[in-house]
């Protein structure tokens, strides 16, 4: 806050002093406005960072769900796969998907899906 002018200043105002005080007040106002803008900008950055983090978590959760659903279906179709070690299961999958007919079947399904999406 500005100091209360003395009695002498009240009786004989100093125009230069008044001008300097007004300039100081304007600068403090601009500084306050700039601080508000900085705070708002910080808030916007935080919101965007949170949005990105949420999207990444949703993406990971969707991937985990997809993998669990698909692996669960394999175990449903071939219950013996539950007994395999991770390496044995990977060998099984490599062998299964090495058959040309399997890969062609998957490619046909994907092609048909893209055609439906285009129409």
């Amino acid at each position: 806050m500005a100091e209360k002018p003395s009695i002498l200043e009240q009786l004989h105002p100093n125009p230069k002093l008044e001008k300097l005080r007004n300039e100081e007040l304007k600068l403090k106002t601009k500084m306050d406005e700039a601080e508000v803008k900085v705070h708002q900008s910080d808030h916007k950055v935080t919101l965007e960072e949170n949005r990105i983090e949420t999207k990444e978590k949703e993406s990971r959760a969707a991937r985990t769900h997809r993998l669990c659903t698909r692996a669960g279906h394999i175990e449903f179709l071939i219950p013996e796969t539950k007994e395999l070690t991770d390496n044995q299961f990977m060998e099984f999958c490599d062998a299964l998907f090495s058959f040309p007919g399997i890969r062609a079947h998957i490619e046909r399904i994907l092609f048909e899906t893209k055609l439906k999406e285009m129409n």
Side-chain angles (χ1 to χ4, degrees):
M1 287 250 162
E3 293 181 25
K4 184 178 178 183
S6 69
I7 294 175
L8 181 61
E9 290 174 339
Q10 290 176 9
L11 295 174
H12 303 288
N14 182 331
K16 185 175 182 181
L17 181 60
E18 286 301 314
K19 182 179 177 185
L20 288 172
R21 283 188 176 147
N22 285 337
E23 188 176 318
E24 180 184 32
L25 183 62
K26 287 179 186 176
L27 290 172
K28 284 182 179 180
T29 302
K30 283 184 179 182
M31 191 169 80
D32 291 343
E33 290 170 353
E35 287 175 355
V36 168
K37 286 183 180 181
V38 167
H39 179 71
Q40 290 172 340
S41 179
D42 286 344
H43 185 67
K44 287 179 183 177
V45 167
T46 301
L47 286 175
E48 185 63 17
E49 288 172 345
N50 290 343
R51 188 189 67 75
I52 290 169
E53 184 179 326
T54 300
K55 285 242 182 221
E56 289 172 353
K57 284 180 182 178
E58 289 172 352
S59 176
R60 286 192 305 270
R63 180 178 184 270
T64 299
H65 176 73
R66 185 179 65 250
L67 292 173
C68 290
T69 300
R70 292 175 183 190
H73 192 68
I74 290 172
E75 284 187 356
F76 171 76
L77 294 174
I78 311 169
E80 296 80 13
T81 58
K82 294 177 194 173
E83 306 300 321
L84 299 176
T85 65
D86 288 346
N87 286 337
Q88 290 170 331
F89 184 79
M90 296 301 168
E91 287 177 24
F92 163 74
C93 288
D94 290 345
L96 179 65
F97 291 106
S98 68
F99 290 108
I102 300 289
R103 182 150 322 266
H105 182 71
I106 292 171
E107 289 173 359
R108 183 179 53 77
I109 291 171
L110 292 173
F111 179 75
E112 289 172 359
T113 302
K114 287 180 183 178
L115 280 179
K116 288 178 185 176
E117 289 173 359
M118 292 172 58
N119 293 331

